[in-house]
């Protein structure tokens, strides 16, 4: 029994240490994702050790202490995304339709050939902006009937899992489709004009993940995310970045993204709202995101039921308040992470100037 506990403890130590390793290979970076699962399992192992092993034995106490440290390390990353933590983006206190905007991120899964559940969710929630991902020509046809309600759009249907459709009730100015890092992975950029007249800088992203068959390393994903962050570093106007970022909010990449861009995460202090994997209840984490500048407060967050994809759709309703001066919880900022962003991009071909800067604000 103690030999099994020692082997499992060693695994949890390795799994806990891996996210700290600077390596970009996929099998190292994959340990960024299951922190909730690792916290649960390592806590369970500690309980088993204290119940079934000789509690007076030094080996038992050492194993329990080691497991507790692993569990505490995992908990430290995920706890800020629980309702026990202070909200980073404040709760909306007024309801002004002219300054409200809701953003839906929906990775449809290209092979999914039942658009009904997603269209029903859109009908029910009536988002103002839809970021559709993995959309191919078939999905473009399924979204076509939404044109009357969403007349402003950017469309890039692709068969390689990286098609993207940006649909909006409100005008999209200076809108463009860009391939920032990889030639077959588009992103979309525009100035969203709200009914109140305010312009909101909007970036929709879906970088390729570090995974066999996609990218063996995380570099392309990280660079796309971080170059957008650098482009926002000195931007002072309302901003929204949305999409399936193929990364979790506690990773070094997304913490650096928030610190560099100055944006906040509506999830922080509200809940995980795990958006992937829809088919595996015990293996889920938040991959789809809506990040916002301090000009916004949160009206609602909604995760869909199963829409036939491996992702749940993720909707964030926002209210614009240009008088707001900062976030309620600015814990995501930090000099070390912004320096890491700078170093990460230093030798890359893509530059901040490659990210479109919508005019008109």
């Amino acid at each position: 029994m103690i030999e099994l506990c020692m082997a499992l403890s060693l695994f949890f130590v390795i799994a806990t240490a891996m996210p700290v390793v600077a390596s970009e290979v996929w099998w190292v970076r994959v340990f960024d994702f299951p922190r909730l699962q690792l916290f649960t399992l390592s806590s369970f192992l500690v309980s088993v050790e204290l119940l079934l092993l000789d509690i007076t034995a030094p080996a038992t106490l050492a194993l329990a202490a080691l497991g507790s440290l692993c569990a505490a390390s995992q908990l430290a990353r995920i706890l800020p995304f629980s309702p026990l933590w202070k909200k980073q983006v404040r709760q909306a206190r007024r309801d002004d339709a002219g300054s409200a905007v809701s953003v839906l991120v929906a990775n449809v899964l290209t092979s999914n050939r039942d658009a009904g559940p997603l269209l029903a969710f859109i009908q029910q929630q009536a988002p103002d902006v839809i970021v559709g991902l993995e959309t191919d020509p078939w999905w473009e046809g399924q979204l076509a009937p939404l044109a009357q309600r969403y007349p402003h759009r950017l469309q890039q249907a692709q068969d390689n899992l990286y098609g993207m459709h940006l649909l909006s009730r409100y005008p999209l100015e200076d809108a463009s489709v860009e391939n920032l890092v990889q030639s077959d992975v588009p992103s979309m950029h525009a100035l969203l004009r709200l009914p109140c007249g305010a312009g909101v800088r909007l970036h929709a992203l879906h970088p390729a993940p570090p995974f066999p068959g996609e990218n063996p390393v995380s570099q392309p994903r990280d660079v796309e995310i971080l170059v957008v962050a650098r482009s926002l570093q000195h931007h002072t106007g309302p901003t929204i970045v949305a999409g399936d970022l193929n990364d979790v909010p506690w990773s070094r990449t997304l913490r650096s993204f928030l610190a560099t861009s100055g944006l906040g995460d509506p999830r922080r202090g509200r809940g995980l709202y795990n958006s992937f994997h829809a088919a595996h209840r015990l293996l889920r984490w938040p991959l789809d995101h809506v990040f916002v500048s301090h000009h916004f407060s949160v009206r609602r967050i909604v995760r869909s039921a199963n829409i036939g994809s491996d992702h749940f759709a993720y909707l964030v309703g926002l209210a614009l308040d240009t008088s707001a001066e900062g976030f309620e919880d600015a814990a995501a900022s930090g000099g070390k992470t912004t320096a890491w962003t700078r170093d990460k991009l230093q030798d890359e071909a893509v530059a901040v100037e490659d990210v479109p800067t919508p005019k008109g604000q």
Side-chain angles (χ1 to χ4, degrees):
M1 181 64 179
I2 193 167
E3 290 80 4
L4 176 60
C5 290
M6 291 177 66
L8 291 173
S9 296
L10 178 60
F11 167 77
F12 288 124
V13 168
I14 293 172
T16 302
M18 276 296 184
V20 182
V21 177
S23 174
E24 297 168 347
V25 297
W26 73 268
W27 56 267
V28 171
R29 296 274 58 89
V30 75
F31 287 97
D32 285 324
F33 295 83
R35 287 193 180 269
L36 177 59
Q37 291 80 3
L38 291 170
F39 163 73
T40 303
L41 292 173
S42 56
S43 298
F44 178 73
L45 178 61
V46 171
S47 300
V48 169
E49 290 167 347
L50 294 177
L51 286 172
L52 300 184
L53 299 181
D54 180 4
I55 197 172
T56 63
T60 300
L61 296 176
L63 288 174
L66 198 59
S68 297
L69 287 173
C70 291
S73 177
Q74 303 293 354
L75 182 62
R77 289 299 185 202
I78 59 178
L79 187 60
F81 299 93
S82 77
L84 299 175
W85 207 262
K86 186 176 182 179
K87 296 178 178 65
Q88 182 172 50
V89 184
R90 64 184 55 80
Q91 193 68 29
R93 296 183 176 87
R94 61 188 181 90
D95 194 9
D96 181 359
S99 62
V101 58
S102 53
V103 180
L104 173 67
V105 178
N107 185 318
V108 302
L109 183 64
T110 299
S111 60
N112 174 22
R113 288 304 186 241
D114 182 8
L118 175 60
L119 295 177
F121 185 72
I122 292 172
Q123 175 70 25
Q124 178 190 55
Q125 298 294 331
D128 300 310
V129 177
I130 300 172
V131 180
L133 305 168
E134 290 201 26
T135 44
D136 63 357
W138 185 90
W139 271 99
E140 185 167 301
Q142 299 302 304
L143 297 174
L146 298 176
Q148 184 173 0
R149 192 187 312 169
Y150 299 93
H152 311 283
R153 51 183 52 203
L154 280 178
Q155 303 183 116
Q156 184 78 10
Q158 295 183 185
D159 292 315
N160 68 340
L161 306 181
Y162 292 98
M164 182 180 291
H165 283 65
L166 180 62
L167 314 180
S168 175
R169 291 177 57 205
Y170 306 139
L172 298 171
E173 302 173 6
D174 291 330
S176 66
V177 180
E178 307 291 336
N179 300 93
L180 294 176
V181 177
Q182 295 178 271
S183 61
D184 56 352
V185 178
S187 58
M188 294 183 172
H189 314 265
L191 186 76
L192 177 69
R193 186 66 65 182
L194 300 186
C196 64
V200 178
R201 186 166 165 178
L202 175 64
H203 300 275
L205 307 177
H206 185 205
F211 197 74
E214 297 284 349
N215 291 315
V217 296
S218 66
Q219 184 78 352
R221 179 200 66 185
D222 297 345
V223 168
E224 180 167 336
I225 292 170
L226 295 176
V227 75
V228 172
R230 284 293 297 273
S231 76
L232 296 171
Q233 194 167 21
H234 302 295
H235 179 64
T236 58
T239 304
I240 298 173
V241 175
D244 171 8
L245 302 187
N246 279 307
D247 204 358
V248 284
W250 48 77
S251 75
R252 178 163 50 182
T253 299
L254 287 190
R255 286 186 290 118
S256 296
F257 170 87
L258 293 179
T260 302
S261 67
L263 302 188
D265 188 348
R267 274 191 176 100
R268 196 176 180 95
R270 291 185 172 87
L272 288 173
Y273 294 93
N274 291 323
S275 60
F276 176 92
H277 192 289
H280 303 300
R281 185 178 296 273
L282 298 180
L283 290 174
R284 288 180 178 170
W285 33 76
L287 293 189
D288 301 274
H289 305 274
V290 176
F291 297 130
V292 301
S293 60
H294 65 81
H295 309 87
F296 291 98
S297 56
V298 175
R299 302 174 73 201
R300 58 182 173 138
I301 299 180
V302 181
R303 192 189 75 171
S304 74
N306 197 311
I307 58 171
S309 172
D310 50 354
H311 288 248
F312 297 104
Y314 175 63
L315 182 146
V316 179
L318 302 164
L320 179 67
D321 181 5
T322 53
S323 65
E325 296 183 354
F327 292 117
E328 293 191 349
D329 174 19
S333 62
K336 288 184 179 180
T337 49
T338 54
W340 185 77
T341 298
R342 184 187 62 246
D343 295 342
K344 188 87 170 175
L345 296 175
Q346 189 170 11
D347 298 322
E348 294 298 323
V350 62
V352 171
E353 293 75 18
D354 297 323
V355 180
T357 305
K359 306 297 189 297
Q361 285 182 286

